[in-house]
Amino acid sequence: MGWGMSLFKNTAIIFSTTLLLIGCGGGSGGSSNGVTPSYTIGGTVSGLSSSKTVVLQNNAGDNLTVSANGSFTFATSVASGAAYAVTVLTQPSGMTCTVSNGTGTASSNVSNVGVSCQPVVAFVFASIFGGNGEVYSAPIDSNGALGQAGLPTSTGTTTLYTSVASPNGKFLYLSSIADGALDHLRGFAIDSNNAALTAINAIPNSADPVYGLAIHPSGNYLYASGSTSNYSNDFVQAYQVNNQTGGLTPIGQQLPGAGQYNRAVAITPSGNLVFTIAEVDGLTTAYITSYGVGNDGALTRIGQPLAVTDGGTHICPNDVVVDSTGSYAYFVSYDAGNGWFCNNAIYGFRINADGSLSAIGSTQFASGGTDSSKLTASPTAGFIYLPDSLSGNIYAFRINAATGALTPVGSQPTNVLGGPVDVAIDATGRHAYVSTNDSNSIITFSIDQTTGALTNPRTTSLPPPAGVGLYAITVAPKQ
């Protein structure tokens, strides 16, 4: 009986100990045994085309390649209370994917991260004014959203001033106003998959600073305006574009203008007329000149340059645009606060049937010092936009279709951080992309198609060189 009682007691102790151990641990969601639980991170991919792959990361690691739409889960779990951050490491070829609900703190298994993929329909290119003439590129998806920008391409040419892309999206051209340079005009072939830029060798050297660029709607001709190297005369030069290589061949000689500093050139949507704007020392008169475009792309001046004065007020012209209907041309003058006391105004002109111009008045947009050197017209509607990097304002105007008069859009201009410099609008006229010279970022806006107002701003930060301001910006359709 003693032996039996002893066996009973031992069995009871073992059984009780087992229950105690079971009660003290064992589940991955508990932490009473001192082990911190961990949770999986995942979500859903949508819109990814067949045969395409996207590479995702969590917390800058744990790479996950996804090749089909549907759910995904990263291999490595995240400890309870730890942060997670899902990003796209590698975009699918010809597409851009964006992440929603991608950041947070893990407190349970995460399954609501969204990765939405859209086809790339265009690229935006933004250039640095200083530095080594770096050019950034970023994809634009079918919703107008701007994707991730990669590291910039160095052009080796400083003071990049204007950029234009060919209508077929194959080539990008840049102008420079750097003193003493021999390459004031540069060209690059655009890779249709990732927007990588490859220098075009067949670009004639230009010792003369080039301010303005405009490309013919056919893509067959490029027009450059600028000043001679000693700033004694302004000019415009026509080029034939090689549609296979992007190389340029001059068409005839430089055509002299009426001033000393030819600040910009614009072309009508039909490609039949070209306009340049120039200033002269003294600044009391600006000259806008009309040119007819021949079947071979050559320019022929129409009449005499139109002298523009404003009651003795100084005029400092900087950019010229044509509206979407080809009915009106506008140039901007601004006061840089450098003691020249120039008028802050947009000057409008009716384009007559013979290509000549008739003044329709000016519209004041600000007082005091501004920095508004870039004017942009919507390609599809009667709106024009003028950024001012000093105040942070972007002024928007509606064009009266009957008279060409400008009316401000809204009671106040759109104000943004970062010093807006230039505006590019996509081919649909629904999205605007703004370069900034203080924040090294691009701001995307939706354009209200009824009022022209800029809405829903989204900022895309760019990789270094940090602190070097963006300047010119343009949109190129994807080939």
Side-chain angles (χ1 to χ4, degrees):
M1 183 170 177
W3 177 84
M5 181 59 72
S6 176
L7 177 60
F8 174 78
K9 288 180 178 180
N10 290 338
T11 302
I13 292 171
I14 294 171
F15 179 72
S16 300
T17 302
T18 302
L19 290 176
L20 180 62
L21 289 172
I22 292 173
C24 288
S28 63
S31 59
S32 58
N33 62 353
V35 178
T36 301
S38 59
Y39 302 108
T40 58
I41 306 298
T44 304
V45 171
S46 62
L48 186 65
S49 299
S50 60
S51 76
K52 303 287 186 180
T53 60
V54 58
V55 181
L56 307 177
Q57 282 191 327
N58 182 31
N59 293 333
D62 197 16
N63 294 5
L64 176 63
T65 299
V66 180
S67 300
N69 294 314
S71 60
F72 67 88
T73 303
F74 286 96
T76 303
S77 299
V78 173
S80 178
Y84 62 91
V86 179
T87 56
V88 177
L89 174 63
T90 305
Q91 297 282 1
S93 176
M95 304 191 75
T96 183
C97 301
T98 56
V99 178
S100 59
N101 301 322
T103 60
T105 301
S107 58
S108 62
N109 290 336
V110 175
S111 60
N112 68 335
V113 177
V115 179
S116 176
C117 302
Q118 299 287 336
V120 172
V121 297
F123 297 102
V124 66
F125 294 92
S127 57
I128 297 288
F129 189 73
N132 289 313
E134 290 86 358
V135 180
Y136 289 94
S137 64
I140 300 172
D141 70 22
S142 54
N143 293 321
L146 198 61
Q148 294 172 314
L151 294 174
T153 299
S154 176
T155 65
T157 301
T158 62
T159 328
L160 296 177
Y161 194 77
T162 302
S163 59
V164 295
S166 59
N168 59 11
K170 293 178 65 175
F171 310 116
L172 176 71
Y173 299 97
L174 302 160
S175 74
S176 168
I177 58 173
D179 288 333
L182 295 176
D183 53 355
H184 289 103
L185 182 58
R186 301 295 303 275
F188 296 86
I190 302 172
D191 188 295
S192 62
N193 291 316
N194 56 19
L197 299 177
T198 303
I200 299 170
N201 294 323
I203 302 294
N205 289 337
S206 173
D208 299 325
V210 176
Y211 284 86
L213 293 175
I215 197 158
H216 195 273
S218 67
N220 293 330
Y221 313 109
L222 179 74
Y223 301 95
S225 66
S227 301
T228 53
S229 56
N230 59 1
Y231 296 99
S232 60
N233 293 289
D234 66 321
F235 69 87
V236 61
Q237 175 69 61
Y239 295 93
Q240 173 81 45
V241 178
N242 185 310
N243 288 322
Q244 298 301 314
T245 67
L248 302 177
T249 302
I251 301 174
Q253 301 297 313
Q254 288 183 351
L255 297 180
Q260 293 168 287
Y261 311 98
N262 198 319
R263 297 298 190 184
V265 59
I267 191 166
T268 55
S270 64
N272 66 323
L273 296 170
V274 162
F275 305 98
T276 62
I277 183 65
E279 69 178 51
V280 295
D281 285 340
L283 303 176
T284 57
T285 305
Y287 291 93
I288 185 167
T289 305
S290 303
Y291 298 89
V293 179
N295 293 332
D296 59 353
L299 298 179
T300 302
R301 193 172 75 182
I302 299 173
Q304 294 299 312
L306 179 63
V308 182
T309 59
D310 198 349
T313 301
H314 285 184
I315 300 175
C316 298
N318 269 273
D319 204 2
V320 61
V321 297
V322 178
D323 80 316
S324 61
T325 67
S327 302
Y328 304 103
Y330 302 88
F331 77 79
V332 62
S333 165
Y334 78 96
D335 182 8
N338 51 13
W340 291 347
F341 304 106
C342 295
N343 199 16
N344 291 313
I346 299 173
Y347 295 81
F349 305 85
R350 179 183 297 277
I351 302 174
N352 300 315
D354 62 357
S356 63
L357 298 171
S358 300
I360 56 176
S362 63
T363 302
Q364 202 82 14
F365 63 86
S367 60
T370 64
D371 192 353
S372 301
S373 60
K374 296 290 187 178
L375 193 63
T376 301
S378 168
T380 60
F383 309 115
I384 59 176
Y385 300 89
L386 176 67
D388 173 16
S389 64
L390 287 186
S391 67
N393 290 330
I394 304 175
Y395 300 93
F397 299 89
R398 177 193 293 276
I399 301 171
N400 184 303
T403 66
L406 300 180
T407 303
V409 171
S411 59
Q412 298 292 332
T414 300
N415 190 268
V416 299
L417 297 175
V421 179
D422 196 8
V423 178
I425 300 175
D426 70 349
T428 70
R430 296 181 176 275
H431 308 285
Y433 305 91
V434 180
S435 59
T436 62
N437 63 6
D438 292 337
S439 63
N440 214 46
S441 61
I442 298 173
I443 303 174
T444 303
F445 288 93
S446 299
I447 300 176
D448 188 298
Q449 296 299 287
T450 301
T451 67
L454 301 177
T455 63
N456 189 25
R458 291 92 74 194
T459 299
T460 301
S461 297
L462 304 178
V468 181
L470 297 177
Y471 201 73
I473 190 168
T474 193
V475 172
K478 186 179 183 300
Q479 301 174 50

